[in-house]
Amino acid sequence: MLQVKNITKHFSGVTALDNISLEFLPGQVHAIIGENGAGKSTLMKILSGVYTQYEGDIFYKGHKVHFSDPKAAQEKGISIIHQELNLVAGLSITENIFLGRELLTRIGLLNKAAMRQQASALLARLKLRVNPDTLVGDLKVGQQQVVEIAKALLVESEVIIMDEPSSAISESETTVLFDIIAGLKRDNKAVVYISHKLDELFKIADRYIVLRDGRLIEEGPMKGMQQEQLIQKMVGRDLQVLRRQAAETNTATIFSVEQLSLPRPGKTGSFILKDISFSVGKGEILGIFGLMGAGRTELLETIFGLHARRMTGLIKVKQQPVSFKNPYDAKKAGLALVPEDRKKDGLVPGLDVQTNIGLTTLSSMETMGWLSKRRETDLSQKYIRELHIKTASGRQLVKDLSGGNQQKIVLAKWLATQPVLLMLDEPTRGIDIHAKQEIYHLVRQLAGQGLGIIVVSSELPEILAIADRVLVMCEGKIKASLPIHEAAEEVLLKAAIPLTI
C-alpha cells in the first residue's frame, strides 16, 4: 500500500531520520514505537505531506509520489490524525468533517443537506450517536477523536495514521476506538498507529516497527513478542521502573486547602469540586488519582487562581492564608503549575527554547525595562544542562523538539520561579518510557530538596511509582487518602469509580 525508501530528514543540523526504509501493508495495523525524539512523528508528517523537504522516495500503490501539503496527501488517500486534534471547536461536526471540501449545489451554494446526510452516515458507521449539528467544542475528547476519523473516512483514505489517539481518552472510549480500527482492517485499510502505551499495541497491532535516534532498529510480526523485549529494543538496554522509596516523615506543612468548592456555572446547587481538604508537607510527593471527569485538573486550576471568582474555601501557603485573584498572584505566593496540555497552555511553540524558559521570570532579567540577553541565556543554559534537555541550542524552536524535551522546558520555566509547591498535571502524557523515567527521577530529586509536589495522573503505575501518599478523586470529591504502602491498585480503582444507583 505504502512504501518509503531511504528517507532522511534534518532539522537545524540534527538528523531526525536517517535512511529509513519501510513498507505498510493493507489490512494490517503497524505499531510504530520508540522514545521521544526517535523520529516517529517526523516520519508520519513526511508521509502525510506536512513536511515536504526530505531526502528519499515515497511510493503509494507502486507509484512514486511527493506531496506538496496535507491536502494533496488526503486526496491521494493518506490521512493523519494528530495527537493534538485538528478541529474547530466553534463549528459543528458536519462543518468540521467537510471543512475545506464542502459540497456545493449547482448554483454554488453550500449543500448543507447533503453534507449533513453524509456526516450522519459516517457517525453511524463509527457508532457515534451524536447529532451532526452538535458543536465540536461540546464533545468529549474521545468523541472528537471519532470526528477526526470520520474526516479521514470521508475521502476514503486507504492509509490512516493515528498519532497517540488514546492519550487523552477514557478506557471505554479506547474500546470504541479499537472497534473502529478492527473495522478499518476488515475494509483492507492500512493503519499506522503510534503509541507509548505498549499494552494496547498487543491488542490491536499486527506488526511492530522500532525507531531509535532516527534509525530503523527492527520490524516484525507482533505475535510472539514480549513487552520487555520491545522496551529493550526501544531504548537499547534493559529498563526497570523505579518505585518511590519511603520518604522521611516531615511534619512541616507547606501548603493546605480547607473546604475548597467550585460551583458549576449556571447550575445552582451543582459543584465541579465539593469540600476538598488536604495538605502537602515539605519534600512530599502527593499523588492525585481519578478517572476522567473526576475534577483533578479543575482542582489544580482552582488552586492556581484560574477560577478565583467562583471558588470558596481557604488556601494556606506556609501556614499563612492567601487569596489569589489570578495565576500571577499564585506564582508570587510560590505556586507553580505544569498544565496537562503543554502545547496549548504551557509553551509558545513558535518561540525558541531560551525565550520559553525565561517567560515566567522576565522581571528578574530586565534592567530599566530592557531585557538582559545574557541573563536570559545563562538561565536557559542552566536548565538545559540540569534537566538534560536535548536541543541543538537555546535558539532552537520548541515546536521542533520531542514531547519529552518540550515537557522539560515547561518544568524549567516553572522551576525558574523557585516555587514552594510544584503542581504537575499529567506530567508524562504522550512521552516515552525513558523520558518518563527521567521525569520521575527529576521529581524525586526536587522533593529531596524540600519542594512540595502534587502529581495528577490517570496512570496508576505512575502514581504508585512516584507518590508518598495518594488522594483519590471521584465526581469532584476526595474519596480516599492513603499512604503509598496501602495504595493497592484495586483499592484506588474501587474508590475512583462512581457508585451507580
Side-chain angles (χ1 to χ4, degrees):
M1 184 77 79
L2 184 66
Q3 184 181 29
V4 297
K5 287 186 177 180
N6 310 119
I7 293 290
T8 298
K9 174 70 175 173
H10 303 283
F11 288 110
S12 305
V14 176
T15 302
L17 292 174
D18 188 1
N19 203 35
I20 299 288
S21 295
L22 285 170
E23 291 181 346
F24 300 100
L25 308 176
Q28 295 202 4
V29 177
H30 308 75
I32 298 190
I33 60 175
E35 299 183 73
N36 284 98
K40 305 182 299 297
S41 292
T42 300
L43 177 59
M44 295 308 103
K45 287 177 180 178
I46 288 174
L47 294 179
S48 60
V50 177
Y51 293 150
T52 58
Q53 301 297 317
Y54 55 87
E55 300 169 30
D57 299 309
I58 301 174
F59 296 86
Y60 178 64
K61 294 184 176 181
H63 300 285
K64 186 175 178 180
V65 293
H66 190 284
F67 304 124
S68 57
D69 52 43
K71 189 173 183 181
Q74 276 188 356
E75 290 173 348
K76 202 64 151 176
I78 302 172
S79 295
I80 184 169
I81 301 168
H82 294 280
Q83 183 178 356
E84 288 79 28
L85 298 178
N86 191 24
L87 298 170
V88 182
L91 296 181
S92 71
I93 294 174
T94 300
E95 289 166 335
N96 270 276
I97 290 174
F98 283 90
L99 190 61
R101 48 199 176 189
E102 292 81 1
L103 301 181
L104 303 177
T105 63
R106 290 182 179 179
I107 60 173
L109 299 177
L110 288 176
N111 193 337
K112 294 184 179 180
M115 289 190 290
R116 192 181 190 281
Q117 185 178 12
Q118 287 192 35
S120 295
L122 282 171
L123 296 181
R125 180 179 170 187
L126 298 174
K127 300 177 183 178
L128 180 59
R129 297 175 179 84
V130 178
N131 188 316
D133 297 328
T134 305
L135 293 182
V136 161
D138 293 334
L139 299 178
K140 296 178 182 177
V141 174
Q143 294 172 322
Q144 292 181 11
Q145 289 277 18
V146 176
V147 175
E148 280 282 19
I149 295 170
K151 287 169 60 179
L153 295 181
L154 176 69
V155 292
E156 292 299 326
S157 296
E158 298 293 333
V159 179
I160 299 173
I161 301 167
M162 301 182 178
D163 191 355
E164 295 284 353
S166 66
S167 64
I169 62 178
S170 68
E171 189 172 336
S172 61
E173 290 166 336
T174 300
T175 301
V176 173
L177 174 65
F178 289 174
D179 287 342
I180 292 169
I181 290 172
L184 294 173
K185 283 181 61 178
R186 289 192 296 270
D187 292 340
N188 223 30
K189 311 290 187 185
V191 178
V192 184
Y193 194 97
I194 299 175
S195 179
H196 293 304
K197 298 180 179 179
L198 297 184
D199 56 330
E200 69 184 26
L201 299 182
F202 287 94
K203 298 176 183 178
I204 61 168
D206 299 293
R207 297 187 63 80
Y208 70 87
I209 297 165
V210 180
L211 300 182
R212 189 199 312 152
D213 297 327
R215 296 184 178 91
L216 174 64
I217 300 302
E218 188 176 303
E219 59 174 319
M222 203 69 169
K223 189 175 181 180
M225 185 57 58
Q226 302 295 319
Q227 183 164 315
E228 292 73 18
Q229 292 174 285
L230 284 181
I231 293 174
Q232 199 278 332
K233 295 176 192 300
M234 285 170 57
V235 301
R237 60 195 179 282
D238 292 327
L239 193 63
Q240 300 295 323
V241 176
L242 300 174
R243 290 185 68 89
R244 171 77 165 156
Q245 299 298 313
E248 295 182 12
T249 55
N250 193 324
T251 56
T253 298
I254 60 168
F255 176 82
S256 64
V257 298
E258 299 174 14
Q259 299 296 306
L260 186 147
S261 294
L262 181 66
R264 199 175 299 277
K267 293 187 178 180
T268 305
S270 179
F271 290 84
I272 298 172
L273 303 170
K274 181 67 172 174
D275 297 333
I276 302 286
S277 297
F278 67 89
S279 63
V280 182
K282 183 177 181 181
E284 181 182 26
I285 303 175
L286 177 67
I288 299 182
F289 174 72
L291 304 179
M292 289 186 69
R296 301 161 304 163
T297 294
E298 291 83 355
L299 174 59
L300 297 194
E301 289 178 348
T302 303
I303 290 171
F304 201 58
L306 267 80
H307 309 299
R309 292 184 179 181
R310 291 191 287 127
M311 70 149 282
T312 59
L314 180 63
I315 299 176
K316 292 182 179 180
V317 178
K318 292 184 177 179
Q319 311 289 349
Q320 299 299 314
V322 291
S323 178
F324 306 142
K325 293 180 180 178
N326 49 50
Y328 180 70
D329 289 345
K331 181 174 78 80
K332 285 197 299 182
L335 273 56
L337 173 60
V338 174
E340 179 181 14
D341 190 334
R342 58 178 169 267
K343 290 187 178 179
K344 175 175 172 285
D345 301 321
L347 295 167
V348 184
L351 296 181
D352 59 34
V353 172
Q354 179 171 305
T355 305
N356 270 275
I357 290 176
L359 284 175
T360 56
T361 53
L362 290 173
S363 59
S364 67
M365 293 188 292
E366 59 94 10
T367 304
M368 298 181 68
W370 292 93
L371 182 65
S372 168
K373 287 296 181 183
R374 181 185 58 78
R375 291 182 199 169
E376 188 180 45
T377 300
D378 289 348
L379 179 73
S380 64
Q381 289 303 314
K382 165 183 162 66
Y383 286 105
I384 289 171
R385 183 174 61 253
E386 291 182 2
L387 304 190
H388 307 291
I389 299 171
K390 294 178 182 177
T391 176
S393 73
R395 288 302 182 187
Q396 185 170 4
L397 296 183
V398 164
K399 66 181 181 181
D400 292 334
L401 299 182
S402 69
N405 285 302
Q406 289 179 352
Q407 188 71 325
K408 288 180 183 179
I409 290 167
V410 184
L411 276 167
K413 180 180 78 170
W414 285 108
L415 291 177
T417 67
Q418 304 295 315
V420 172
L421 177 74
L422 176 64
M423 298 183 288
L424 307 171
D425 193 356
E426 300 285 3
T428 64
R429 178 188 166 195
I431 65 177
D432 65 76
I433 192 167
H434 180 59
K436 283 185 179 184
Q437 291 283 49
E438 289 188 309
I439 298 293
Y440 296 164
H441 176 74
L442 175 62
V443 170
R444 294 187 189 104
Q445 190 177 43
L446 293 170
Q449 296 168 4
L451 186 62
I453 299 174
I454 297 175
V455 178
V456 162
S457 179
S458 303
E459 298 183 29
L460 267 179
E462 179 162 279
I463 290 288
L464 296 175
I466 202 170
D468 298 308
R469 184 163 53 96
V470 184
L471 300 182
V472 182
M473 289 189 67
C474 177
E475 297 182 324
K477 299 179 181 179
I478 293 178
K479 294 294 186 179
S481 177
L482 301 166
I484 198 64
H485 64 272
E486 295 179 13
E489 287 197 30
E490 59 272 18
V491 175
L492 298 180
L493 274 173
K494 185 176 180 180
I497 296 172
L499 294 174
T500 56
I501 300 174

